[in-house]
Amino acid sequence: MNENHVLVIGGTGMLSKVSIWLADHHAQVSVIGRTQEKHSDLMKMAGDPARLNNIAVDYYNLDALETELKRAMDKHGPITLAVCWSPFYPAVERISRVITEWSDRWRLYHVKGSRRYFEDEPLSVPASCQYRSIYLGFVMTGNGSRWLTHAEIADGIIESVKNDEDGAVVGTVHPYEKRPC
Ligand SMILES: NC(=O)c1ccc[n+]([C@@H]2O[C@H](COP(=O)([O-])OP(=O)(O)OC[C@H]3O[C@@H](n4cnc5c(N)ncnc54)[C@H](OP(=O)(O)O)[C@@H]3O)[C@@H](O)[C@H]2O)c1
């Protein structure tokens, strides 16, 4: 994998390790999240903080999101890979449309909760976007089940991106009725 500019939406929370892994393997990683302090914490984790481009924008504000994304691509070049943790599909669609104006072929890994494995909203992305879903499940234990840890989530996403998998499940989504409360 050798991308020049990649994007992580929601990359300062449980996807922090994914943002850092991408920064270690790519020229530039733009990371979207609202809180400056979380971006600063992420910078402290990075081997080379200059590889991280903080985008402190609320993805519910679609026009601001588009402006910031265009600013990032003006500075760092077309985005060719994106990892997205956002439940707000209009933001995913806006991001996809803007990236497609710069990149005629790019990949989007859309990270989703387990419910969406069974029942998802419609999402429209341009043909130039190679769209992949990654579902976050849970872990069955001897006496029940538990949610994934942040490390398990990040490691599972990294494996899916490395293997370019579509429909990957981190942990399990079966039996769904046994998921943790
Ligand atoms: N199957 C599972 O095991 C599973 C699945 C999902 C969640 N979880 C658990 O649930 C916890 C909470 O999930 P979470 O969604 O809060 O995850 P999170 O990754 O801790 O935080 C969400 C990320 O998205 C950013 N973000 C949130 N709202 C945003 C907005 N409007 N605009 C731009 N960026 C935004 C956050 O930064 P800012 O807040 O600074 O904007 C942060 O980077 C997780 O810590 C995880 O343990 C478990």
Side-chain angles (χ1 to χ4, degrees), residues 17 25 34 48 52 59 65 70 91-92 98 102 104-105 121 124-125 127 129 134-135 140 149 154 159 173:
K17 190 176 170 188
H25 291 81
R34 293 161 300 179
D48 181 0
L52 295 176
Y59 51 55
L65 178 65
K70 285 179 172 172
V92 184
V98 174
W102 260 261
D104 49 17
R105 196 167 163 78
E121 283 170 59
S124 171
V125 293
C129 169
I134 302 173
Y135 300 94
M140 293 301 295
T149 64
E159 272 312 298
V173 290

Side-chain angles (χ1 to χ4, degrees), residues 40-55:
S40 302
D41 290 344
L42 191 67
M43 301 284 267
K44 286 178 200 152
M45 291 167 65
D48 181 0
R51 292 252 183 128
L52 295 176
N53 174 42
N54 302 333
I55 303 181

